[in-house]
């Protein structure tokens, strides 16, 4: 009865209808739509785009740039790295087209443009001195690509359960959820008649619905998954970056990681398809020298704990002068 | 905030091509089959696997000398039936016109109310489907080329707490570059949204009658508005194919 009244009320007073494209109506607004967000603009791939970016700590300290996970995701899960602001100038940002950064077009997504983006951010906060670069999950791929192109600019590389960095690792990664027998896939298919994917907002909206089930195998207990903190998963960027960046050309470029001579820390959790065992087998051999920190009792999706921060501190104390 | 006026909404509905104003031909009757009452079972992939039960009543009135049928149908995604959250209730009319000795134009129009709950919001969609099909029609069978437009004119969203939490932690994180506080957007907007979805379906179809049964088969593709050309995008539920079979029995 309540539903019928609601529908009737909507029809009667339907003179005030919102549009899905109203900023913030369906998904959190991006930096170009919301001036209250901390942000700056960079010129990359021929476009000036607003990055959602936060800095923590004293700018005179060494810069630590952190690159988030997920092809189109954001750094919300990485906020605990703020704790390193007592020793570093911590810069967290959402890549162009990802999270709360401005949405971008297909032509702006390439291996070169991600390298260029990191270079632009570095130039703003640490134009001369090398940086510490941390990449989480998919962000490990971007951080590694920047490192092979500018090894002199990276004083230390921290890869927090990175996505596959080689063709072999990519092939070895087990496939996961998404079959037509899954409820969340059927829900997505059903909603074709609710919200057409006519623009980024409508696409992004679908990512919220799919995410909990799509990533549940990355939790230690997939039957009782937690809630991964995110603001927005830019699904267009995710799909396009998967096509254009997570490919053989990038893997070929990353073979040069073997020539990188600065300290490398690889972090792995105790469960999930990218766990410490996977990193030991597939990521460590890519480097001439790298160490592995294993975090017990956490998964790929909840490893930003005080233990991770401690592991990074220990590594920095030992590896950096 | 952009507001879409009632006038625009009315104009949009009024812009529906007059020749298509008759529902999905699914609510019409095969002209080969002059029964008064039919029960139907439709199983489709559109692209969600769907099952739909319906009832059609023939001869409600005559339009240009042809019998107009009308009916109702209740459908739900097959794998989501146990959840009792997602379903579609449709009602429509249909009529078939002679175009020549063996050719007919089946046409129909229906409205639907569909619900969904994907964890981000409870959704209620009110929409319209218009369809025509040019058919080569023989006494016991037909083949045709259908064209349908399906549009959600109104969508009501009641967001979940999960969706609201996506708006948390965006401000006041203690960042050294935080801007002066401006107008803040604190959460998603519940309420009615206008013209949120539409798609055009086309393909081929065929039907055969063997009293008291009538069988209908169809397959094709559809086009919907796409962000930057993502025509095929399983990640977002965009699989532009449909298949359908419809079995009707007279009583």
């Amino acid at each position: 009865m309540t539903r019928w009244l609601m529908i009737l009320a909507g029809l009667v007073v339907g003179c005030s209808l919102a549009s899905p494209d109203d900023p913030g109506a369906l998904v959190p607004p991006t930096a170009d739509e919301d001036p209250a967000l901390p942000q700056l603009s960079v010129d990359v791939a021929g476009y000036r785009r607003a990055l959602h970016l936060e800095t923590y700590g004293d700018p005179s300290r060494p810069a630590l740039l952190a690159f988030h996970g997920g092809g189109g995701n954001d750094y919300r899960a990485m906020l605990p790295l703020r704790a390193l602001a007592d020793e570093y100038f911590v810069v967290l940002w959402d890549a162009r087209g990802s999270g709360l950064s401005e949405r971008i077009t297909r032509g702006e997504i390439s291996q070169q443009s991600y390298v260029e983006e990191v270079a632009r951010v570095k130039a703003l906060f640490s134009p001369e001195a090398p940086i510490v670069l941390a990449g989480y999950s998919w962000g490990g791929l971007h951080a590694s690509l920047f490192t092979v192109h500018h090894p002199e600019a990276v004083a230390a590389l921290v890869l927090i359960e990175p996505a596959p960095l080689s063709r072999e690792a990519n092939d070895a990664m087990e496939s996961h959820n998404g079959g037509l027998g899954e409820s969340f896939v059927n829900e997505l298919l059903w909603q074709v008649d609710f919200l057409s994917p006519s623009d980024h907002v409508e696409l992004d909206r679908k990512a919220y619905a799919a995410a909990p089930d799509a990533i549940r195998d990355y939790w230690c207990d997939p039957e009782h998954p937690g809630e991964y903190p995110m603001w927005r998963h830019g699904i267009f960027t995710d799909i396009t970056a998967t096509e254009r960046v997570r490919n053989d050309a990038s893997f070929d470029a990353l073979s040069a990681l073997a020539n990188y001579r600065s300290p490398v820390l690889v972090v792995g959790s105790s469960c999930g398809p990218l766990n410490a065992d996977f990193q030991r087998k597939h990521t460590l051999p890519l480097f001439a020298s790298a160490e592995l920190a294993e975090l017990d009792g956490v998964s790929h999706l909840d490893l930003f704990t005080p233990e991770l921060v401690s592991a990074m501190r220990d590594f920095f104390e030992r590896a950096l002068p | 905030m952009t507001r879409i006026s009632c006038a625009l909404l009315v104009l949009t509905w009024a812009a529906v091509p007059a020749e298509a104003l008759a529902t999905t031909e699914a609510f019409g009757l095969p002209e080969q089959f002059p029964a008064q009452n039919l029960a139907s079972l439709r199983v489709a992939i559109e692209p969600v696997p769907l099952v739909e039960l319906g009832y059609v009543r023939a001869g409600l009135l005559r339009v240009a000398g042809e019998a107009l049928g009308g009916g109702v149908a209740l459908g739900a995604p097959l794998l989501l039936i146990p959840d009792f959250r997602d379903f579609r209730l449709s009602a429509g009319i249909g009529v078939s016109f002679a175009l020549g000795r063996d050719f007919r134009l089946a046409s129909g129009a229906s409205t639907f109310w569909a619900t969904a709950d994907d964890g981000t919001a409870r959704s209620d969609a009110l929409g319209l489907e218009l369809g025509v099909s040019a058919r080569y029609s023989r006494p016991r069978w037909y083949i045709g080329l259908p064209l349908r437009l399906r549009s959600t004119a109104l969508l009501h969203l009641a967001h979940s707490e999960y969706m609201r939490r996506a708006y948390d932690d965006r401000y006041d994180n203690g960042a050294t570059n935080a801007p002066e506080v401006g107008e803040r957007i604190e959460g998603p907007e519940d309420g009615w949204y206008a013209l949120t979805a539409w798609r055009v379906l086309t393909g081929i179809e065929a039907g055969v009658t063997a009293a008291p049964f009538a069988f209908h088969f169809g397959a094709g593709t559809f086009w919907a508005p796409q962000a930057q050309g993502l025509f095929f995008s399983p990640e977002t539920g965009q699989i532009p194919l449909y298949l359908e079979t419809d079995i009707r029995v007279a009583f």
Side-chain angles (χ1 to χ4, degrees):
Chain A
M1 187 62 184
T2 304
R3 165 167 294 174
W4 284 108
L5 288 174
M6 180 185 73
I7 291 171
L8 285 172
L11 291 173
V12 170
V13 296
C15 294
S16 184
L17 300 171
S19 162
D21 296 325
D22 292 343
L26 293 187
V27 301
T30 49
D32 53 309
E33 299 169 330
D34 185 359
L37 290 173
Q39 58 187 281
L40 59 77
S41 294
V42 293
D43 292 295
V44 176
Y47 291 85
R48 188 166 185 78
R49 297 298 191 187
L51 294 183
H52 176 227
L53 179 149
E54 289 179 301
T55 60
Y56 298 90
D58 184 345
S60 67
R61 293 187 175 124
L64 186 156
L65 272 57
F67 215 113
H68 59 82
N73 213 273
D74 55 59
Y75 64 78
R76 188 175 177 186
M78 303 179 81
L79 284 172
L81 295 186
R82 290 173 297 186
L84 294 167
D86 57 350
E87 294 183 67
Y88 290 88
F89 180 57
V90 177
V91 181
L92 301 170
W93 86 98
D94 297 334
R96 296 162 305 121
S98 300
L100 301 183
S101 288
E102 185 175 355
R103 296 172 172 98
I104 57 177
T105 56
R106 184 184 301 273
E108 295 171 72
I109 299 173
S110 68
Q111 182 191 138
Q112 291 74 20
S113 71
Y114 280 111
V115 172
E116 186 183 353
E117 180 179 325
V118 180
R120 292 281 182 274
V121 174
K122 179 187 179 298
L124 288 167
F125 297 108
S126 184
E128 303 297 334
I131 56 172
V132 172
L133 187 56
Y136 164 52
S137 191
W138 173 273
L141 177 64
H142 296 314
S144 298
L145 286 169
F146 179 79
T147 300
V148 297
H149 283 88
H150 301 283
E152 75 291 344
V154 182
L157 178 63
V158 180
L159 297 174
I160 304 166
E161 225 166 73
L165 301 180
S166 68
R167 195 177 294 112
E168 176 218 5
N170 198 50
D171 293 343
M173 193 169 155
E174 296 169 16
S175 60
H176 296 288
N177 308 311
L180 290 176
E182 302 249 21
S183 290
F184 82 96
V185 175
N186 280 264
E187 193 68 63
L188 278 175
L189 297 173
W190 173 237
Q191 297 211 22
V192 166
D193 284 329
F194 289 71
L195 205 56
S196 290
S198 57
D199 208 340
H200 291 271
V201 168
E202 290 84 349
L203 284 171
D204 296 341
R205 169 87 183 183
K206 295 171 187 292
Y208 292 95
D213 284 314
I215 62 175
R216 68 168 182 264
D217 282 355
Y218 288 83
W219 294 99
C220 285
D221 182 0
E223 298 303 313
H224 300 90
E227 184 176 311
Y228 180 73
M230 68 174 191
W231 290 304
R232 181 182 78 93
H233 187 86
I235 193 72
F236 175 79
T237 297
D238 185 0
I239 293 169
T240 309
T242 299
E243 291 170 5
R244 303 187 62 158
V245 182
R246 187 174 168 175
N247 54 28
D248 286 351
S250 291
F251 295 142
D252 288 343
L254 290 174
S255 63
L257 286 171
N259 303 323
Y260 181 65
R261 289 294 181 262
S262 295
V264 178
L265 173 68
V266 178
V267 179
S269 69
S270 54
C271 37
L274 292 171
N275 65 13
D277 289 340
F278 183 92
Q279 303 302 334
R280 184 181 295 106
K281 184 174 181 183
H282 296 289
T283 304
L284 291 186
L286 299 175
F287 295 91
S289 175
E291 62 179 272
L292 178 69
E294 297 187 50
L295 301 178
D296 292 330
V298 292
S299 72
H300 186 72
L301 300 174
D302 59 358
L303 50 60
F304 284 92
T305 59
E307 288 71 30
L308 170 63
V309 173
S310 295
M312 292 175 70
R313 284 187 195 282
D314 291 346
F315 169 70
F316 295 148
E317 284 178 14
R318 280 183 284 108
L320 295 175
Chain B
M1 167 162 299
T2 306
R3 294 291 178 186
I4 298 173
S5 69
C6 280
L8 177 59
L9 191 66
V10 169
L11 282 173
T12 305
W13 279 73
V16 166
E19 66 273 20
L21 274 176
T23 283
T24 322
E25 60 273 26
F27 286 112
L29 288 169
E31 58 278 1
Q32 299 90 335
F33 209 73
Q36 289 295 304
N37 297 284
L38 291 96
S40 68
L41 168 66
R42 177 170 176 266
V43 179
I45 296 174
E46 51 169 56
V48 69
L50 180 104
V51 60
E52 201 162 38
L53 298 172
Y55 165 76
V56 177
R57 171 75 179 177
L60 295 175
L61 53 90
R62 300 197 77 78
V63 177
E66 303 286 354
L68 180 143
V72 295
L74 177 64
L78 193 58
L79 295 180
L80 301 179
I81 289 174
D83 296 338
F84 293 108
R85 296 184 306 197
D86 304 67
F87 61 86
R88 180 174 69 206
L89 184 62
S90 311
I93 54 174
V95 64
S96 175
F97 300 100
L99 294 178
R101 183 167 166 267
D102 292 323
F103 292 93
R104 299 188 71 86
L105 183 70
S107 60
S110 67
T111 59
F112 64 83
W113 166 42
T115 71
D117 188 342
D118 62 5
T120 66
R122 177 77 198 180
S123 306
D124 289 277
L126 298 174
L128 175 73
E129 179 172 320
L130 307 170
V132 293
S133 177
R135 290 177 176 168
Y136 178 71
S137 188
R138 302 292 295 170
R140 295 180 61 83
W141 58 271
Y142 61 84
I143 56 174
L145 299 173
L147 181 66
R148 300 176 193 164
L149 169 66
R150 188 180 294 176
S151 173
T152 292
L154 291 170
L155 176 68
H156 185 272
L157 295 174
H159 290 95
S160 67
E161 286 305 310
Y162 163 67
M163 195 62 219
R164 295 187 185 285
R165 286 194 291 275
Y167 287 69
D168 292 347
D169 298 334
R170 292 173 302 136
Y171 311 114
D172 298 332
N173 282 323
T176 50
N177 67 328
E180 293 296 319
V181 174
E183 184 181 352
R184 293 180 168 185
I185 297 170
E186 300 294 352
E189 280 196 43
D190 288 354
W192 289 95
Y193 291 79
L195 300 171
T196 57
W198 61 274
R199 56 176 168 151
V200 177
L201 302 90
T202 188
I204 57 172
E205 64 183 14
V208 61
T209 57
F213 297 101
F215 302 93
H216 171 91
F217 311 94
T221 186
F222 67 82
W223 185 89
Q226 302 291 312
Q228 301 196 37
L230 284 180
F231 178 68
F232 181 78
S233 168
E235 297 91 337
T236 61
Q238 188 66 20
I239 301 175
L241 297 171
Y242 76 88
L243 292 167
E244 63 184 2
T245 182
D246 186 352
I247 303 169
R248 301 179 191 187
V249 59
F251 62 94

